[in-house]
Amino acid sequence: MTLTVHTQNLLSRLQGMIALSDDEIVQRGIAQATTDRIIELRHRASQLKEHHASLKKLEARVALGVSADDHTLYTELLEWRAVRHELEQLTRFLEAV
């Protein structure tokens, strides 16, 4: 891993204040970035749930047909599925960290 000079300086300054190894700092950064993404995804899933009540209801609406002029329902269905999938992956990853 290559760090910029600025990042190296920040790392050195932090290690001067807190007794942490490079490895501990990187691991904490990974965990924080993962947590931040999980929060974003949960927020989006909450928005979709608020708009459509449940994934099953949205799937049922899409199964009835989507307008040729407006694919919003289908797009939101795909997005919701992707959000759920990514949340599952990140949660498993975070548990392993």
Side-chain angles (χ1 to χ4, degrees):
M1 170 175 58
T2 303
L3 303 176
T4 65
V5 172
H6 178 68
T7 301
Q8 289 173 348
N9 289 336
L10 289 173
L11 183 59
S12 295
R13 287 177 53 204
L14 179 62
Q15 288 173 320
M17 295 182 278
I18 303 172
L20 294 172
S21 69
D22 291 358
D23 195 52
E24 290 171 312
I25 292 170
V26 170
Q27 286 181 17
R28 288 179 184 202
I30 290 168
Q32 185 61 54
T34 304
T35 302
D36 291 348
R37 181 64 179 157
I38 288 171
I39 291 168
E40 290 173 19
L41 291 168
R42 285 183 178 169
H43 178 71
R44 183 59 184 144
S46 176
Q47 289 174 327
L48 290 164
K49 184 176 182 179
E50 186 177 305
H51 191 252
H52 298 289
S54 73
L55 180 59
K56 290 205 179 281
K57 287 185 179 182
L58 179 55
E59 288 172 334
R61 288 180 68 192
V62 169
L64 293 174
V66 177
S67 167
D69 296 335
D70 184 6
H71 296 153
T72 303
L73 291 178
Y74 184 69
T75 301
E76 289 182 348
L77 174 61
L78 293 177
E79 180 184 10
W80 202 343
R81 287 176 177 168
V83 164
R84 286 182 52 173
H85 179 72
E86 188 175 347
L87 274 170
E88 290 170 8
Q89 287 182 318
L90 291 174
T91 300
R92 281 194 307 270
F93 174 78
L94 192 57
E95 289 170 353
V97 173

